[in-house]
Amino acid sequence: MTQRAFRSPTVSAGLAHGLQQYAVAIGQSPAQVLAAFGRHARYLSEPDYRIPCADYDRAFVQLAAQGDEALFGLQFGAASRLADLGVLGFVLLSSATLGEALRAYQQYQRALGETLQLDLQVQGAQARLNLLPVDPSAAQPHRIEAMVAAVHVLIAELCGRALTWQAVYLPHLDGSALSARRTQAAARLLGCAPQVGAAALVFAATALDQAVRPSGADASLAAALHAHMQRRLQALPSEGVATRAGAALRRRIKHCEQPSLGDIASDLAMSPRALQAQLQAEGQSFRALADLIRQETAEFFLRRGATTREVATLLGFSEEAAFSRAFKRWAGLPPDTWRRQAAPAQ
């Protein structure tokens, strides 16, 4: 398997600072909280500092273990406020409608963090907010639940009332006592019992037309806010084509597709030949990249108890046997054997 050619994803120090403040507010030792962030602790108050997602996730897990581990993510997310987002929060408030605000968040979310990406999809009368982990194999329950809870409370703050969810999906519900507590707490917060599936919130598309309160902002102020966020994005290390292609692959694979080179080139507004050439310039190939994303996604769901048939269907394979052969080529083991060997490390 070809190794990753991606730039390591990061989160803003502001996001980490919010986590630090929350942990202290619920009674954790300030010294222990800072220790969880290791070498990054001294930089949490510097707005331009970026923390590798892997280090942020490790701090998140450690702080959750020091608190109510089952509910830490949900409770942290539920404590979110638009003011915590800094200028991005003002951008959302300057929007006229919820749909405009969500699209603005989607446009600028990299400035906040790259560990989970919000992806708005509208199909007919239904809208869906997908939470796409940059690395499915590294996504952990606390971060996903925090994002789901934050989306819920921030939308309520934007619109003046909570949104009615038609369905909520979380990928890590496994029937354990810990999972049952999370499920019950999520149902109370969201008003909808979560189901097992790739992380997503589903609602009526008509809600996208709800007005933001207060309704919009002065046009010149809104333009200045957007210009500020554009500058912040430009200051980030640039995304390579492999990173953008990987994100496009994840979106399509999430919908049980087997995307071709032409499909991804179309998503990136490039010709297939140009996409292939730029991937090669980054030391990558389309087939290796697609296999890497499929392997990560397969391992993520196998770890969480999905059957080989279920994962085969998720990845768009028409036959379970074809998926098993492909997985053995990627990981060196058949999926059932790989799952048994991975179980002790869960």
Side-chain angles (χ1 to χ4, degrees):
M1 175 65 65
T2 302
Q3 296 298 308
R4 278 180 177 79
F6 304 127
R7 173 181 61 80
S8 296
T10 61
V11 302
S12 69
L15 195 63
H17 190 229
L19 177 60
Q20 176 222 353
Q21 290 183 313
Y22 173 76
V24 171
I26 62 173
Q28 294 194 24
S29 161
Q32 288 184 330
V33 171
L34 285 176
F37 290 96
R39 62 188 175 88
H40 306 292
R42 68 180 66 183
Y43 305 113
L44 295 183
S45 61
E46 297 187 13
D48 295 328
Y49 187 75
R50 306 286 294 187
I51 298 174
C53 287
D55 292 348
Y56 177 74
D57 283 348
R58 275 193 291 270
F60 209 116
V61 170
Q62 186 173 333
L63 295 176
Q66 293 170 187
D68 184 346
E69 186 170 9
L71 304 183
F72 184 87
L74 275 171
Q75 292 172 343
F76 171 56
S80 299
R81 297 295 178 266
L82 288 169
D84 300 334
L85 304 183
V87 175
L88 180 55
F90 289 108
V91 168
L92 304 186
L93 284 168
S94 74
S95 304
T97 64
L98 175 61
E100 184 180 324
L102 290 174
R103 292 183 178 94
Y105 183 90
Q106 192 170 339
Q107 179 181 0
Y108 300 127
Q109 61 187 323
R110 282 188 61 229
L112 191 65
E114 300 168 297
T115 181
L116 280 171
Q117 298 294 286
L118 199 67
D119 178 50
L120 173 64
Q121 299 290 329
V122 181
Q123 292 186 331
Q126 195 174 77
R128 186 183 184 100
L129 285 170
N130 298 308
L131 278 66
L132 305 177
V134 171
D135 181 353
S137 66
Q140 41 94 1
H142 303 300
R143 288 284 298 110
I144 293 173
E145 289 170 353
M147 182 73 163
V148 167
V151 168
H152 176 72
V153 299
L154 293 178
I155 287 178
E157 186 178 354
L158 274 172
C159 298
R161 61 188 178 90
L163 209 57
T164 299
W165 303 111
Q166 295 178 348
V168 176
Y169 297 96
L170 296 172
H172 49 270
L173 305 179
D174 57 12
S176 66
L178 191 67
S179 180
R181 285 194 67 204
R182 286 172 164 154
T183 301
Q184 292 166 4
R188 287 195 298 271
L189 173 66
L190 305 172
C192 180
Q195 306 171 55
V196 179
L201 295 156
V202 181
F203 59 102
T206 52
L208 295 172
D209 296 325
Q210 287 188 29
V212 168
R213 294 177 31 169
S215 56
D218 176 81
S220 60
L221 174 58
L225 293 170
H226 281 270
H228 176 89
M229 292 306 302
Q230 289 284 3
R231 289 193 295 272
R232 286 192 61 185
L233 284 181
Q234 291 167 4
L236 294 177
S238 60
E239 286 185 323
V241 169
T243 301
R244 294 167 55 212
L249 279 162
R250 287 190 180 94
R251 284 194 294 271
R252 285 184 173 267
I253 288 172
K254 182 182 176 66
H255 290 94
C256 306
E257 298 180 27
Q258 286 269 23
S260 67
L261 173 67
D263 292 330
I264 302 304
S266 176
D267 289 349
L268 301 185
M270 303 170 66
S271 71
R273 184 174 179 178
L275 174 57
Q276 193 74 284
Q278 292 198 39
L279 287 174
Q280 289 173 356
E282 295 180 17
Q284 187 62 274
S285 73
F286 179 78
R287 179 175 178 178
L289 183 61
D291 283 349
L292 176 62
I293 302 302
R294 291 189 183 104
Q295 180 185 356
E296 288 177 345
T297 306
E299 290 176 353
F300 174 76
F301 285 105
L302 288 171
R303 279 195 187 97
R304 284 150 181 80
T307 66
T308 301
R309 180 180 296 277
E310 288 169 340
V311 179
T313 300
L314 174 70
L315 295 184
F317 285 86
S318 58
E319 297 179 358
E320 182 180 344
F323 164 69
S324 295
R325 289 193 297 271
F327 187 88
K328 185 175 182 181
R329 187 178 76 248
W330 302 333
L333 294 169
D336 290 338
T337 304
W338 183 92
R339 179 181 19 230
R340 286 194 297 271
Q341 292 191 5
Q346 289 184 40

